[in-house]
Amino acid sequence: MAAPNIVNVSTITGLSSTTALTTTSQTTLVSNAASSGKVFKINMIQVANVDGTAAADITIDVHSAASGGGTTYSIVSTVSVPADASLVVLDKNTALYLEEDRSITATAGAANDLEVIVSYEEIS
């Protein structure tokens, strides 16, 4: 489990993932498998509240294992997103690297109110 040398990479692929949080259960946004030979540079995480009347809480966590496993480390914890508003959780100025066997999850305080976009680079 070694991250690639990001000075001497062969491929950088720009990707985005979109997730509607339809439950209040933890939902995996991005997962970097063990032994993938890749590192993900997370450039942006944005949460939109699509409910027109009620605020909803969001928790975004980094996990020490793929698919939401292992130990949880919060990026934001139970932050309220106002109705019809968005929250930039992470941007290019505060980017992070997601190494092998790591993941990022989201947990909504209300089902069907929040949508999350993650923009990242897959580096190998």
Side-chain angles (χ1 to χ4, degrees):
M1 181 171 76
N5 178 345
I6 61 174
V7 173
N8 188 25
V9 299
S10 60
T11 304
I12 300 174
T13 305
L15 300 166
S16 294
S17 73
T18 56
T19 306
L21 301 178
T22 58
T23 72
T24 57
S25 299
Q26 176 182 289
T27 302
T28 300
L29 301 175
V30 179
S31 185
N32 190 358
S35 303
S36 69
K38 300 174 183 176
V39 64
F40 297 168
K41 183 180 180 189
I42 310 299
N43 293 316
M44 189 267 302
I45 301 174
Q46 180 171 307
V47 181
N49 184 341
V50 296
D51 186 303
T53 58
D57 291 345
I58 186 70
T59 297
I60 305 285
D61 297 316
V62 174
H63 293 261
S64 63
S67 301
T71 304
T72 301
Y73 303 95
S74 290
I75 299 174
V76 295
S77 181
T78 57
V79 173
S80 181
V81 182
D84 283 337
S86 61
L87 169 72
V88 177
V89 175
L90 188 134
D91 67 14
K92 206 153 176 123
N93 294 317
T94 57
L96 64 86
Y97 289 101
L98 194 66
E99 298 176 50
E100 291 177 325
D101 199 25
R102 303 283 188 266
S103 55
I104 297 175
T105 62
T107 306
N112 299 308
D113 284 357
L114 301 174
E115 297 176 351
V116 184
I117 298 174
V118 181
S119 173
Y120 63 101
E121 297 167 8
E122 185 180 272
I123 303 169
S124 60

